[in-house]
Amino acid sequence: MFHLSRCLALCLVLWCPVVAADQPPLPDTTPPARPVIPPANPEPPIPTPGPTSTEPAAPPKAAPIFFQLDADRFKIGDVELNKQTRAIRFPAAINMREGLLEFVIVHEKGKVHESLLRTAINATHLNLALKVLRYQSSPELFMLRDEEGFPNGLMPAVDARTKAAARVEMRMRWKDGETEHSVSVNECINNNRNSTVMPAGPWVYGGSAVNNGRYVAELTGDIVAILTNQAAIFNYPGDYNQDGTDYGNWYALTKMLPEVGTAVIFEIRPWSSAAAAVSKPTPKLAPKTE
């Protein structure tokens, strides 16, 4: 029985192809393929969405404002400070060579119509540099105010140590070709009422003020004022700036200044004991203009 089964199976295998070969082929009923015509304006493929993150997108990184230049020098924005000498330097430009002055330096978007110099630095950066270098602000030039904010006619009592810590020297430097120039700010200002150059002497760091959480010197652009201005960071304390016949008669001393637009480096240093020894010289006559 086993062998018979194998023989039948073998016959079926051999016979079926023969039968298939003898039969006529069946007709092909498959419909002919239709040509594919692309659309005139094909739609762009729909992108497959990738995995989404529940993490919020990281905000763009703000440019750092604090840099270390070397072991002693640092920068806050465009304001350079030296922790050893306590000097502060920043870029500025000559803004006026003639005319009435109320400021030594203001922000370039501030009161440039009455300022010797202009600068683009941030006033808050300058004040931060002063704090880092341990300059101490003094309110000695500003009258006290009553509860309603009006001047009460009294001046604050400021101790000698605070006054000394608030006093600075100001200079500006520039190059004319290969020649370097360095002058004190005082040498570039003249009192036209009595024809005298501003006496050598310190400037007082008052620190400006904060109003509704905003630094006032940054809002106004007032950095160094000749006429007493509480919004400014620095003020001139000289006798010639008190109310009187010579008040408000400060002018740019043309012969001491380069052309308008000349780039300068403005420098602030502690008022040294050596400078203090000559802080009250006899006012000298201004050079005669040609």
Side-chain angles (χ1 to χ4, degrees):
M1 180 64 70
F2 176 74
H3 292 290
L4 180 60
S5 300
R6 293 189 63 184
C7 289
L8 289 172
L10 180 60
C11 289
L12 288 172
V13 171
L14 294 175
W15 178 68
C16 287
V18 174
V19 174
D22 291 340
Q23 299 294 326
L26 297 174
D28 186 6
T29 59
T30 305
R34 305 177 69 178
V36 178
I37 302 175
N41 296 304
E43 293 291 332
I46 300 175
T48 303
T52 59
S53 173
T54 57
E55 295 291 330
K61 292 184 178 180
I65 64 167
F66 188 85
F67 305 88
Q68 182 168 0
L69 302 177
D70 55 36
D72 296 327
R73 297 182 304 131
F74 300 82
K75 285 190 78 174
I76 303 175
D78 291 323
V79 179
E80 180 184 318
L81 57 147
N82 189 308
K83 70 177 185 179
Q84 292 295 332
T85 64
R86 298 178 67 214
I88 294 174
R89 296 157 52 94
F90 57 85
I94 299 295
N95 182 66
M96 292 174 60
R97 294 185 73 237
E98 58 185 10
L100 184 65
L101 300 176
E102 290 194 20
F103 296 90
V104 169
I105 186 166
V106 299
H107 189 271
E108 61 188 8
K109 294 183 179 179
K111 304 178 181 75
V112 293
H113 63 286
E114 51 192 2
S115 179
L116 184 68
L117 304 169
R118 63 179 185 270
T119 183
I121 67 162
N122 184 303
T124 301
H125 295 170
L126 174 56
N127 195 49
L128 181 57
L130 290 159
K131 297 299 186 185
V132 169
L133 294 178
R134 307 181 311 282
Y135 288 92
Q136 189 169 348
S137 60
S138 170
E140 64 193 80
L141 300 178
F142 312 115
M143 194 175 296
L144 295 174
R145 296 178 179 271
D146 59 26
E147 295 179 354
E148 296 181 355
F150 295 100
N152 63 9
L154 301 175
M155 298 302 291
V158 181
D159 62 273
R161 185 169 184 175
T162 298
K163 287 184 176 182
R167 276 155 168 71
V168 301
E169 175 189 7
M170 296 182 179
R171 303 188 67 84
M172 55 184 181
R173 306 175 187 275
W174 71 92
K175 291 188 70 173
D176 181 9
E178 296 300 319
T179 305
E180 295 187 3
H181 300 269
S182 174
V183 297
S184 73
V185 165
N186 304 54
E187 294 177 82
C188 301
I189 301 172
N190 180 58
N191 192 299
N192 275 17
R193 179 65 62 87
N194 55 26
S195 299
T196 56
V197 176
M198 178 180 280
W203 297 74
V204 174
Y205 171 43
S208 187
V210 175
N211 184 25
N212 293 326
R214 301 291 302 277
Y215 188 48
V216 176
E218 185 174 335
L219 295 174
T220 64
D222 301 345
I223 297 177
V224 180
I226 302 173
L227 304 186
T228 307
N229 179 347
Q230 196 163 3
I233 301 176
F234 293 94
N235 279 269
Y236 177 62
D239 293 338
Y240 287 175
N241 200 26
Q242 307 304 314
D243 290 337
T245 57
D246 297 325
Y247 177 76
N249 285 285
W250 301 108
Y251 285 75
L253 190 52
T254 305
K255 293 189 69 170
M256 294 296 295
L257 297 165
E259 295 300 318
V260 170
T262 300
V264 303
I265 296 297
F266 195 81
E267 186 174 78
I268 301 168
R269 289 179 175 271
W271 182 248
S272 66
S273 57
V278 292
S279 62
K280 294 183 179 180
T282 301
K284 60 183 178 181
L285 294 178
K288 293 183 180 180
T289 58
E290 295 179 353

